Amino acid sequence: MNKLSFSTLFVSISVISLCAIMVYLNVSTFELNETIGSGLFYLKGYYEEGNMIVTEQGIGVITVPLVIGLVASTLINVIQFCRTPSVSD
């Protein structure tokens, strides 16, 4: 079995999770003054400002996929390392 590099796993998982988050944000419906996430993981907000209704996307659209990619690729690499048979002379 070929061992996958950390960078390949990280980029692949991050891109897949970014696509999944973007699809989720586009198909989800929001009530007025509703948000998804907070702080560094703020994804989207929908609120009224004066006479206008504002929809905004937060930094979480980037940080959430990066965190998912980091955690998942680290776990996969640790599992691959543990399953690799040791070579003894």
Side-chain angles (χ1 to χ4, degrees):
M1 180 176 172
N2 291 339
K3 196 172 181 185
L4 297 172
S5 70
F6 180 81
S7 59
T8 303
L9 284 170
F10 177 72
V11 170
S12 300
I13 294 170
S14 296
V15 168
I16 291 168
S17 60
L18 174 66
C19 293
I21 287 172
M22 295 305 283
V23 167
Y24 169 73
L25 290 177
N26 285 328
V27 298
S28 60
T29 57
F30 292 102
E31 297 293 324
L32 199 56
N33 297 323
E34 185 177 357
T35 61
I36 297 177
S38 64
L40 196 56
F41 301 109
Y42 176 68
L43 289 173
K44 194 170 187 178
Y46 184 65
Y47 58 91
E48 188 173 6
E49 188 174 288
N51 296 358
M52 299 185 323
I53 294 178
V54 178
T55 302
E56 65 180 9
Q57 282 186 272
I59 190 72
V61 172
I62 300 299
T63 58
V64 170
L66 291 177
V67 169
I68 291 170
L70 180 66
V71 170
S73 56
T74 303
L75 282 172
I76 291 170
N77 271 341
V78 166
I79 291 169
Q80 283 180 344
F81 179 77
C82 292
R83 289 182 133 189
T84 304
S86 59
V87 177
S88 54
D89 293 324

